[in-house]
Amino acid sequence: MRTFPSSHLIAVSVLSLSLGVVSMIPSNEASASRQSKPLALPPIQESAEIALPEAEAPLVVEPESPTLELKRLTVKNGDSLSLLFKRAGLSDRDMMNFMAEADQARKLESIRPGHELEFALNTDGQIESLRYIKNRLSSFAYLKEGEGFAYHEEEREPEIYQASRAGQIDSSLYLAGVRSGMDDKLIMELAEIFGWDIDFALDIRKGDSFRILYEERFLDGEKLDNGAILSAEFVNQGQVFQAVRYIHTDGRQEYYTPEGRNMRKAFLRAPVDFRRISSNFNPKRLHPVTKTVRPHRGIDYAASTGTPVWSSGDGKVIESAYHKYNGNYVIIQHGGGVQTKYLHLHKRFVKKGERVRQKQVIGSVGTTGLSTGPHLHYEFLLNGVHRNPRTIVQKLPKAESIDDSIKEDFLRQTQPLMAALIGDNNTELALKETEESGDTL
Ligand SMILES: [Zn+2]
């Protein structure tokens, strides 16, 4: 027998409310009632039943009533309300009546595949209640009330716990992440957090390692999904990168170094999704046409034709054209005298003169022009001189850091997250000292 969880909740809360009311009465009226009828107070159990307000009773569907038949339907592609009502054994007329009688019935029009409808029908086949379940946190219900149906929203808050994962890389971040129990979303988030400092397609080496502290969301003791990464560390070729989430007072969430420097930078290290890169590409091989090693001033990313290519920073397209050597190519002018070039594209998605944002898709990987296989040839120039993106990125202007005025709040919020990640008690102690010294001021 299926239970009816939300209604059950309502029933319980009504009951506990009435119990609360009843148990309050004796203390309020104690002195007055003691004189006239000292022993007349009814036992609490009994009064709880009496106290159930008649008016609210119709709102509460009997949680385990044998007279109600529950029909829970999952919305499928191509479903309409009419089809769903039919699957529940109801007619078009039933549906139209319901839509006319139910408060806020139009909200049912937002059904999408994956959502669920739960009909509770009485012995006459009439609707007693209809629940619309968007997901486990959000649903609403229409409960029979007199001639119509009253509308109730049911929002639930998940319980949030912290969890951590760590891994060491053999071949790729993706595989190491999966091996350590991370899902795709967490792996991508990790790559995004460090995506300004580390080129996950080309910089990764065997032995690189990472650890993350993140949120897990639970409902009724069951895991719903993973939430945000709270703090993270990535060791790339011996260099340690750390990041921690900070929630600003306006609700904005950003990642910073533990010292408060923004992780975001003007340029992404790699203009392609690292998961799309094939590793066995040798840029130094002899050119098949000229049989020489061409002077090579860029970075080659081998990926299958059609892989999206991102602009590595905000800027303006100054060339989008075809050339017999470059193939389809795009050149973007950024602030600070920086230019980036993207060659051998299969398709170009931007025009000369167009403004582009960081990570906007400007084309797709191809093998047009003088090229031996699908790859992106990427160049980074500062004041007309080719530079290595790995080393230049540290020298370029940085996004705004944590302002001194919020530094204290930043540290209070982020230090425990770093401490939990590193497992270092010193950081925690340092925080306590900061708090204590703050109190005495
Ligand atoms: Zn190249």
Side-chain angles (χ1 to χ4, degrees):
M1 167 100 197
R2 288 286 321 280
T3 55
F4 208 165
S6 72
S7 309
H8 193 71
L9 272 180
I10 295 170
V12 167
S13 60
V14 169
L15 188 69
S16 55
L17 190 75
S18 7
L19 275 173
V21 170
V22 167
S23 54
M24 269 166 62
I25 292 169
S27 58
N28 286 345
E29 309 280 346
S31 53
S33 50
R34 201 171 285 144
Q35 288 169 343
S36 48
K37 309 187 272 179
L39 297 170
L41 277 173
I44 281 174
Q45 282 294 356
E46 211 176 292
S47 42
E49 270 168 41
I50 294 163
L52 258 180
E54 282 297 313
E56 292 197 20
L59 290 183
V60 183
V61 176
E62 285 295 328
E64 292 181 15
S65 163
T67 59
L68 285 184
E69 189 189 357
L70 284 186
K71 287 189 171 167
R72 188 151 173 163
L73 309 172
T74 303
V75 181
K76 292 185 278 199
N77 260 328
D79 265 346
S80 63
L81 268 184
S82 161
L83 284 171
L84 288 157
F85 270 70
K86 279 205 181 76
R87 282 224 296 284
L90 297 160
S91 67
D92 275 344
R93 180 176 204 87
D94 293 329
M95 182 190 78
M96 288 196 288
N97 288 343
F98 180 84
M99 295 304 277
E101 289 164 6
D103 184 25
Q104 308 208 42
R106 292 190 67 102
K107 296 222 171 182
L108 277 177
E109 288 165 11
S110 56
I111 50 166
R112 297 279 175 277
H115 293 173
E116 290 178 296
L117 289 186
E118 189 176 71
F119 293 85
L121 307 178
N122 63 22
T123 44
D124 299 330
Q126 301 292 305
I127 301 173
E128 281 297 323
S129 75
L130 172 55
R131 287 185 73 211
Y132 170 21
I133 303 145
K134 275 190 205 165
N135 54 56
R136 293 185 53 191
L137 295 177
S138 176
S139 62
F140 53 81
Y142 301 94
L143 306 178
K144 184 83 183 152
E145 191 180 80
E147 293 300 297
F149 291 88
Y151 172 84
H152 294 263
E153 283 194 7
E154 299 164 350
E155 297 289 334
R156 303 194 59 193
E157 287 292 325
E159 297 149 50
I160 292 176
Y161 297 96
Q162 293 183 357
S164 58
R165 300 276 173 196
Q168 193 161 39
I169 293 174
D170 270 336
S171 54
S172 83
L173 168 63
Y174 186 74
L175 290 176
V178 169
R179 212 170 44 234
S180 76
M182 290 162 71
D183 63 12
D184 282 22
K185 181 174 152 277
L186 277 180
I187 296 171
M188 274 316 287
E189 265 178 45
L190 176 65
E192 273 171 25
I193 289 168
F194 294 109
W196 284 273
D197 295 295
I198 300 167
D199 180 342
F200 284 98
L202 300 180
D203 290 350
I204 296 305
R205 297 291 178 272
K206 187 178 165 75
D208 283 358
S209 62
F210 58 85
R211 45 184 163 178
I212 62 169
L213 181 76
Y214 64 101
E215 287 177 340
E216 286 186 335
R217 307 198 308 160
F218 283 77
L219 195 66
D220 303 330
E222 207 180 299
K223 185 168 168 183
L224 275 182
D225 55 13
N226 292 325
I229 289 180
L230 302 171
S231 53
E233 180 182 83
F234 201 100
V235 183
N236 176 229
Q237 303 184 33
Q239 197 177 350
V240 179
F241 298 91
Q242 290 182 328
V244 64
R245 184 190 73 172
Y246 175 62
I247 305 176
H248 290 262
T249 45
D250 63 4
R252 197 161 35 96
Q253 306 190 8
E254 286 200 87
Y255 290 91
Y256 293 88
T257 67
E259 298 77 36
R261 270 179 289 118
N262 202 315
M263 295 303 286
R264 272 190 305 119
K265 297 188 176 63
F267 297 94
L268 283 170
R269 280 298 317 285
V272 277
D273 180 346
F274 75 98
R275 294 172 303 174
R276 306 289 297 264
I277 300 300
S278 25
S279 51
N280 55 348
F281 189 76
N282 176 10
K284 292 220 168 66
R285 69 189 160 188
L286 292 185
H287 195 274
V289 181
T290 61
K291 301 288 182 205
T292 58
V293 178
R294 281 194 296 149
H296 203 270
R297 289 167 163 177
I299 301 175
D300 290 310
Y301 295 94
S304 55
T305 298
T307 299
V309 173
W310 303 323
S311 173
S312 58
D314 293 352
K316 187 177 174 183
V317 178
I318 54 170
E319 283 188 52
S320 175
Y322 182 86
H323 178 276
K324 63 176 178 174
Y325 293 147
N326 295 347
N328 281 314
Y329 71 100
V330 169
I331 302 180
I332 296 172
Q333 181 70 52
H334 308 275
V338 174
Q339 262 183 24
T340 53
K341 300 184 180 183
Y342 311 80
L343 274 51
H344 311 304
L345 301 174
H346 180 59
K347 284 190 173 139
R348 290 176 277 119
F349 300 140
V350 288
K351 292 191 175 70
K352 185 175 174 176
E354 200 175 310
R355 296 217 157 266
V356 291
R357 306 296 309 269
Q358 185 170 61
K359 222 170 178 183
Q360 181 178 334
V361 177
I362 54 166
S364 59
V365 170
T367 181
T368 55
L370 204 58
S371 166
T372 55
H375 77 289
L376 169 71
H377 172 106
Y378 173 61
E379 293 182 24
F380 189 101
L381 295 88
L382 178 61
N383 299 323
V385 180
H386 287 86
R387 306 299 293 262
N388 179 351
R390 181 175 173 82
T391 48
I392 197 67
V393 84
Q394 309 298 338
K395 296 175 185 146
L396 293 167
K398 301 190 169 45
E400 85 282 21
S401 296
I402 287 295
D403 192 80
D404 276 349
S405 62
I406 57 167
K407 191 68 180 263
E408 204 180 320
D409 185 58
F410 173 81
L411 292 176
R412 198 183 346 264
Q413 196 184 114
T414 60
Q415 278 184 335
L417 300 177
M418 285 312 297
L421 175 75
I422 307 300
D424 179 357
N425 294 327
N426 295 334
T427 320
E428 238 170 2
L429 281 176
L431 177 70
K432 279 210 185 88
E433 276 163 23
T434 316
E435 278 176 348
E436 277 162 16
S437 65
D439 284 344
T440 55
L441 277 177

